[in-house]
Amino acid sequence: MSRVFEERVAMITGASQGIGESIAQRLASEGCNLILASRRQEACEEVGSLLAGEDIETLAVGMDVGSLDSVVASVDEALERFGHIDFLVNNAGIARDNLLVRMDPADWDAVLRTDLTGVYNCTKTVLRSMLRRRSGRVVTISSVVGLLGNSGQTAYGAAKAGVLGFTKSLAREIASRNITVNAVAPGYITTEMTAGLPEGATENLQQKIPLGRLGVGADVAGAVRFLLSEDAAYITGQVLSVDGGMYM
Ligand code: NDP
């Protein structure tokens, strides 16, 4: 694979597993230096050590996207190490599914704090360095649920739809600074988040997906890689669905 991202620095939130780890693998394979961030710093270190053969620099940081103080401390550490951040991939997220009538306020708060306020905290903090350099790319991972809705996912759907409004508004706000802001909306991707689906649910889901299969992390990573690349230089404020055709 060509090293198109050599000398570039990407911060990936939620990099300790799942889709975030797949994005880290893809960017590393093209020479990108990585800041791997999640609450479990050791798990991010482990992901970094698996990329040791890629001839890139990695920094693992323990960061809670829901806490602005934690994000500022981690971004400061990353800027001290790398000097700048070219790409921010807002991938960290949680789901706490329940019917609205049974939804605990604590679950509502946790989902909104992580999946929506987390995007605000990380983007606002990293943006300063991008604005100074008049260059940067922000990609946020939303969800097909933010576009279609899903019974039992009012909190998650609200957060993921919120992320789309955030993306489009910020894209307009900072386009003149040569910074693009886009969202990727995955469908059902095989990770720990979807591992808890009840027996038979996977077969039901497959019938609703035009391409007839669940996605894998690499499917999402390819879309993120595209939006970070020079080929996407004239694309901003867009939502790229990676869902096997569920939303069209
Ligand atoms: P996983 O549950 O496998 O991974 C979630 C990641 O987010 C972990 O690395 C976790 O690390 C991190 N994370 C969670 N909370 C926080 C926090 N407060 N601060 C920092 N990091 C946090 O999920 P996926 O890989 O499946 O999902 C990744 C993203 O993709 C999420 O935004 C999700 O909503 C979205 N998505 C997933 C789909 C799917 O089908 N899997 C479909 C559509 C969207 P740690 O525990 O170490 O903090």
Side-chain angles (χ1 to χ4, degrees), residues 31-112:
C32 197
N33 300 304
L34 297 175
I35 301 143
L36 304 165
S38 88
R39 290 166 302 183
R40 290 171 300 134
Q41 185 174 2
E42 332 74 61
C44 289
E45 272 161 10
E46 179 68 28
V47 169
S49 68
L50 294 172
L51 302 173
E54 298 287 0
D55 194 21
I56 59 163
E57 280 194 52
T58 62
L59 172 69
V61 290
M63 177 179 105
D64 176 358
V65 296
S67 154
L68 185 58
D69 287 347
S70 166
V71 171
V72 168
S74 297
V75 171
D76 282 352
E77 186 186 343
L79 287 174
E80 215 161 277
R81 167 81 172 271
F82 291 106
H84 71 278
I85 297 172
D86 298 287
F87 309 139
L88 170 64
V89 183
N90 286 308
N91 164 78
I94 58 168
R96 299 268 173 86
D97 302 342
N98 214 336
L99 297 175
L100 183 65
V101 288
R102 292 195 203 132
M103 189 178 293
D104 195 291
D107 286 337
W108 171 270
D109 285 342
V111 171
L112 270 289

Side-chain angles (χ1 to χ4, degrees), residues 14-19 38-40 63-66 91-94 114 141-143 156 160 186-189 191-194:
S16 58
Q17 62 180 49
I19 292 171
S38 88
R39 290 166 302 183
R40 290 171 300 134
M63 177 179 105
D64 176 358
V65 296
N91 164 78
I94 58 168
T114 307
I141 308 299
S142 176
S143 166
Y156 187 73
K160 293 298 187 180
Y188 289 92
I189 309 296
T191 66
E192 207 163 282
M193 192 176 267
T194 45

Side-chain angles (χ1 to χ4, degrees), residues 157-169:
K160 293 298 187 180
V163 154
L164 301 181
F166 175 95
T167 298
K168 293 176 189 190
S169 299

Side-chain angles (χ1 to χ4, degrees), residues 108-122:
W108 171 270
D109 285 342
V111 171
L112 270 289
R113 182 162 36 81
T114 307
D115 296 9
L116 185 55
T117 307
V119 172
Y120 159 83
N121 287 339
C122 295

Side-chain angles (χ1 to χ4, degrees), residues 143-166:
S143 166
V144 68
V145 175
L147 293 162
L148 286 176
N150 193 24
S151 170
Q153 292 202 297
T154 48
Y156 187 73
K160 293 298 187 180
V163 154
L164 301 181
F166 175 95

